[in-house]
Amino acid sequence: MTVFDLAIVGSGPTGSAAALGALRTDPSLRVALLDRADFPRDKSCGDGIAPHVIDLLARVGVTGVVDDHTPVPRLRLQRDGARVERTMARPTWVIPRAVFDLRLRSAAQAAGAMLLRHRVRDLRAAQLVTVDGEVAARTLIGADGVGSVVRRALGREQGPLAVAIRGYTPTPTERAGAQTIVFDTARQPAYAWSFDRGDGLSNVGYGQLLGARAEHPNRAVLLERLEALLPGASEGGPGSWRGQLLPLSSGRWPRQEGRVLLAGDAAGLVNPMTGEGIYYAVATGLAAGRAAAQAVRAGAPGTAGVRYRRLTRRLLSSHLRHIAAAARLSRFDPVLGAGLRASARHQRVFDDLVELGLARGHLTPTMIRSLGRELLLPSRPADPLRT
Ligand SMILES: Cc1cc2nc3c(=O)[nH]c(=O)nc-3n(C[C@H](O)[C@H](O)[C@H](O)COP(=O)(O)OP(=O)(O)OC[C@H]3O[C@@H](n4cnc5c(N)ncnc54)[C@H](O)[C@@H]3O)c2cc1C
């Protein structure tokens, strides 16, 4: 059995980033990147890529990932008849995951990772970590998404979940050049989206939080709500509909220890306010890869967890608490309405909101003050949001 320095389960954005982080730290490392799927593979997603993701990739030498795609400059938020639309501080991209994930995986392979097609079923961790009795490694990173086998092998519980469905449909003129989000006041917290890809098609979908006791919506219900909020959107291309669960962050960063680490969706890192997870996937993937490489290089693979905690503390600790608080607050209709009004009045509040929803932002004093004002002074002059 070949012994790798690092085995990574899953080669989505998290897994590829982990390989890149590790090999950037030590190019001589033996890294195996395992996935059950053949690539390119589709993945249910809104395909929204924040500019911060491109920054992180550039830092490990991966450039040009979005060059042949059209940047999306505007974000539109709607609720009942009200809406705010502004240009974002930096544009985002909408890139089908079949394309984006393959590019990252190819970059990981070019950096030296060995790609293995393998569905992982079983994991044993001792002096080495053994995968299905076939692959052995000094360290291992679980980057295997929402249903993570590695998470279950570590005995970690699944956190809160949302469910969403996505499809591709022609972009109507009024939704071109923008990412549109329409909040569903009938089933809060839930929203429909339409993200213009810039090639005549949009990624459209609908997602909602799953309550512990509430009945889970089926595909017909999700598509019916999508159509109610974005008329015409559910007439997407046949075969493009794909649903999936999203593992939402509960606000806490689960303790990472030993030589087996979790990152991205496997670690339950999806923004509970927006459903964005690719930024965390790449950020924690890179950090986990670096931590594993440092630990192996130091001859102490068992210290990977401590190193990973250190590398992610600044990134995650307070940010996760802030998005958890923001997600709880935005479940109250008056707060959501006040947030949209404040964003319509002040570009700064809008920018802070985008930062909180897409990357590593915080609830800023400007946001809190403006929210408070909108909540406490309902007699303010004409609502700037009414369409
Ligand atoms: C409908 C929907 C819309 C979303 N929209 C957005 C968005 O617009 N922007 C955004 O930032 N985020 C979005 N997200 C979240 C985003 O998709 C995830 O956060 C992101 O894919 C996480 O990347 P990952 O690499 O951790 O997991 P994944 O992308 O799920 O990759 C996991 C990989 O592991 C492999 N794997 C799984 N199990 C095994 C196994 N046992 N053995 C071997 N391989 C295995 C899989 O084949 C897969 O390739 C959305 C999610 C959903 C469901």
Side-chain angles (χ1 to χ4, degrees), residues 11 32 104 115 123 192 210 271 274 291 309 313 316 338 364 370 385:
S11 62
L104 263 52
L115 305 182
L123 208 73
L210 291 178
N271 188 315
T274 57
R309 275 210 305 279
R313 191 178 299 137
L316 291 172
T364 61
S370 306
L385 290 166

Side-chain angles (χ1 to χ4, degrees), residues 358-372:
L358 293 193
R360 51 188 294 187
H362 288 82
L363 283 165
T364 61
T366 311
M367 281 172 96
I368 293 165
R369 266 197 310 274
S370 306
L371 252 183

Side-chain angles (χ1 to χ4, degrees), residues 8-17 34-39 41-50 53 93-94 97 101 105 116-122 131-132 142-150 152 162-167 179 191 193 195 203-207 242-247 263-267 269-271 274-282 284 357-358:
I8 302 165
V9 184
S11 62
T14 306
S16 295
L34 290 77
D35 206 292
R36 65 185 175 195
D38 268 332
F39 278 64
R41 61 105 178 82
D42 191 15
K43 153 83 176 81
S44 179
C45 188
D47 301 336
I49 315 284
V53 173
W93 279 266
V94 182
R97 293 288 301 276
D101 290 15
R105 190 170 126 112
L116 299 176
R117 171 96 192 273
H118 184 97
R119 177 187 289 270
V120 174
R121 297 172 199 280
D122 182 48
V131 176
D132 298 328
D144 47 343
V146 60
S148 176
V149 169
V150 180
R152 276 183 271 139
V163 66
I165 192 164
R166 79 93 232 263
Q179 291 199 327
Y191 71 78
W193 73 84
F195 294 171
N203 179 315
V204 294
Y206 177 89
R242 188 181 275 262
Q244 200 178 29
L245 295 170
L246 292 88
D265 274 19
L269 283 175
V270 169
N271 188 315
T274 57
E276 300 276 327
I278 297 172
Y279 173 74
Y280 304 124
V282 172
T284 59
L358 293 193

Side-chain angles (χ1 to χ4, degrees), residues 9 22 30 33 65 68 71 85 100 113 129 141 156 171 176 234 246 248 295 334 376:
V9 184
R30 280 163 302 170
L33 190 50
V65 178
D68 53 352
E85 179 171 347
F100 183 74
V129 192
I141 298 172
R156 299 275 171 80
T171 307
S234 72
L246 292 88
L248 304 181
L376 295 171

Side-chain angles (χ1 to χ4, degrees), residues 17 25 31 35 74 78 88 93 95 101 113 143 147 150 217 336 348:
T25 307
V31 176
D35 206 292
R74 294 183 71 75
Q78 291 177 219
M88 290 176 278
W93 279 266
I95 305 177
D101 290 15
V150 180
L336 183 59
R348 174 86 185 275

Side-chain angles (χ1 to χ4, degrees), residues 222-245:
L222 295 173
L223 289 177
E224 184 265 314
R225 292 314 301 156
L226 170 62
E227 188 60 27
L229 297 170
L230 284 168
S234 72
E235 292 153 18
S240 71
W241 296 109
R242 188 181 275 262
Q244 200 178 29
L245 295 170

